[in-house]
Amino acid sequence: MTKTLIVTGGAGFIGSNFVLMLAEQRPEWNIVNLDALTYAGNLENLTAVEDKEGYTFVHGDITKPLDVERAFDEASKLGGSVSVIHFAAESHVDRSIVSGLPFVETNVCGTQVLLDVSRARGVERFVHVSTDEVYGSLGATGFFTEETPLQPNSPYAASKTASDLMVRAAIETHKFPALITRCSNNYGPYQFPEKLIPLMIANAQEDKPLPIYGDGMNIRDWLYVRDHCEAILRVFEAGKLGDVYNIGGNNEYPNIEIVKRILAGVGKPESLITYVEDRKGHDRRYAIDAQKIKDELGWEPRFTFEEALPLTIAWYQSQDTWLQRVRSGAYREYYAAQYG
Ligand code: NAD
Ligand code: TYD
């Protein structure tokens, strides 16, 4: 039977990679991309699919019930069973430290609106894309499992935790057909250059300083975005309703090591590294135990950092125009030109 997926946040980093992958791997499925086009949404990522039959873009805000209804109306027109893959979020920790309210609005209230409309419309499945940051911070050892207590530290992580709990409440209260995924730090094409890896590549290319927070020894578990998208598809198709799945890269590196590798890859000197004041409440280490998704759904990351970091650097180098348009803000003109 035909499937129609409402993908929220499909113009963002992971969402656009997911839409592009779906168009390749499940070409018969319909996609309704519901995105508010905040600063992080870039329709230029999706030019390869914008004319594809069964792909529709809905410019709308998940905090507005009428916008979400509009996306469901579009999905109904396309036919088949309707499911939701929910990526839309305010996603940058540093912005949440400056101002938490937009994070509560989109991540908490927006998720609740989406849950309410999805339930009223009888969705088949709902995948809520969350983060390992809900588990808080680790010391030098140990891993986050799906049973690790939720102890978010940043306003971003707290808002994602609240949204996870609203999804859990819908599952428990209404038998709502949802699943939750919690992944580690993603990297790859189309990531907005405010996050560590694309920012450092962009700055290195322009011979600008590379700002390292604190001592540079904070550790993240890096996951190539393509691996993440494949894991989400796997969870969508085969995951057990009501369950949480951790998704990780088995790929821990301190920030300074990442930055040195980027400089080597771009061919720029380490003298560009600049230590700056630490992030407030900076989580020391994240590391995911992804045994459950491996055992139950047979998913494992395919890309190692040694392969995928050079691929990522090469992508940003070959997409200099994309980067320039994002850095200058010119990408925001695309929507008006394309959609009027
Ligand atoms: P992103 O910031 O690149 O993209 C977010 C997208 O959501 C943008 O297209 C934006 O326009 C859209 N959006 C924001 N507010 C909206 C609203 N109110 N209504 C509709 N659309 C709205 O984020 P990303 O890095 O692609 O992350 C996607 C999801 O994955 C998020 O839920 C995030 O919490 C989660 N996640 C990301 C990472 C990572 O490393 N990037 C790691 C773990 C979890
Ligand atoms: P980031 O990409 O913002 O992801 P998150 O905070 O969600 O893990 O940051 C990754 C790591 O890199 C984190 O430890 C903070 C650090 N960092 C810097 O040292 N300098 C920077 O300019 C940025 C953006 C991040």
Side-chain angles (χ1 to χ4, degrees):
M1 182 172 143
T2 322
K3 285 195 187 303
T4 297
L5 261 55
I6 297 177
V7 177
T8 72
F13 163 46
I14 305 173
S16 61
N17 275 282
F18 184 78
V19 168
L20 294 170
M21 184 195 77
L22 214 56
E24 251 174 59
Q25 296 197 354
R26 301 289 182 275
E28 67 285 7
W29 292 5
N30 302 310
I31 302 169
V32 176
N33 175 6
L34 170 62
D35 199 297
L37 299 182
T38 68
Y39 78 95
N42 184 350
L43 285 178
E44 291 183 352
N45 302 356
L46 294 166
T47 47
V49 295
E50 67 192 10
D51 296 325
K52 182 184 175 292
E53 203 187 327
Y55 170 82
T56 307
F57 174 67
V58 173
H59 188 198
D61 184 335
I62 58 164
T63 67
K64 298 192 173 133
L66 289 179
D67 286 2
V68 179
E69 295 277 4
R70 205 150 44 80
F72 272 90
D73 291 343
E74 289 300 324
S76 304
K77 280 187 215 159
L78 291 166
S81 66
V82 178
S83 291
V84 174
I85 313 286
H86 177 32
F87 293 99
E90 286 293 335
S91 70
H92 189 39
V93 172
D94 290 326
R95 286 178 189 254
S96 81
I97 293 169
V98 176
S99 172
L101 191 57
F103 288 74
V104 176
E105 286 165 350
T106 286
N107 301 357
V108 188
C109 302
T111 298
Q112 187 59 46
V113 168
L114 203 58
L115 287 169
D116 289 342
V117 178
S118 299
R119 190 160 60 83
R121 294 290 193 117
V123 288
E124 188 177 52
R125 285 166 94 82
F126 184 109
V127 177
H128 175 64
V129 179
S130 189
T131 166
D132 59 359
E133 299 189 31
V134 300
Y135 298 123
S137 182
L138 292 165
T141 58
F143 294 90
F144 299 132
T145 73
E146 288 82 357
E147 275 71 49
T148 300
L150 305 182
Q151 286 187 317
N153 294 319
S154 71
Y156 161 69
S159 69
K160 290 297 289 189
T161 308
S163 69
D164 284 22
L165 294 179
M166 296 316 293
V167 175
R168 180 191 145 85
I171 293 166
E172 296 295 323
T173 308
H174 301 292
K175 305 281 170 272
F176 183 70
L179 308 98
I180 296 174
T181 60
R182 295 185 179 135
C183 69
S184 56
N185 287 60
N186 284 221
Y187 67 102
Y190 301 115
Q191 186 166 29
F192 196 83
E194 64 183 355
K195 305 278 171 72
L196 181 74
I197 289 183
L199 178 71
M200 298 298 158
I201 297 172
N203 281 12
Q205 285 187 169
E206 295 175 11
D207 296 301
K208 289 188 175 155
L210 273 55
I212 307 263
Y213 299 157
D215 63 2
M217 291 307 291
N218 298 66
I219 292 174
R220 300 293 183 262
D221 169 6
W222 294 94
L223 174 67
Y224 192 50
V225 65
R226 180 66 184 225
D227 277 327
H228 183 206
C229 291
E230 287 177 2
I232 289 172
L233 182 57
R234 191 82 199 109
V235 168
F236 171 67
E237 293 188 310
K240 185 165 165 281
L241 288 181
D243 271 21
V244 175
Y245 293 91
N246 280 353
I247 306 171
N250 302 324
N251 220 354
E252 288 184 53
Y253 287 99
N255 296 335
I256 186 69
E257 170 73 21
I258 306 276
V259 170
K260 286 184 176 171
R261 283 179 185 232
I262 289 171
L263 283 168
V266 178
K268 294 293 168 86
E270 290 189 4
S271 56
L272 287 174
I273 293 173
T274 310
Y275 287 91
V276 299
E277 190 186 336
D278 206 356
R279 174 187 277 173
K280 288 180 185 156
H282 196 173
D283 284 343
R284 193 64 175 169
R285 174 172 167 259
Y286 302 145
I288 283 252
D289 176 340
Q291 197 61 36
K292 175 177 171 177
I293 188 169
K294 181 179 177 192
D295 290 347
E296 294 186 13
L297 306 181
W299 176 89
E300 273 188 288
R302 290 194 293 121
F303 291 87
T304 64
F305 206 55
E306 285 63 35
E307 288 168 277
L309 184 65
L311 285 178
T312 303
I313 294 172
W315 186 86
Y316 283 93
Q317 286 176 325
S318 70
Q319 299 293 322
D320 201 41
T321 314
W322 182 90
L323 199 55
Q324 293 316 322
R325 289 176 64 75
V326 170
R327 299 267 260 190
S328 72
Y331 70 105
R332 308 201 72 160
E333 294 152 15
Y334 181 83
Y335 175 75
Q338 180 68 16
Y339 295 87

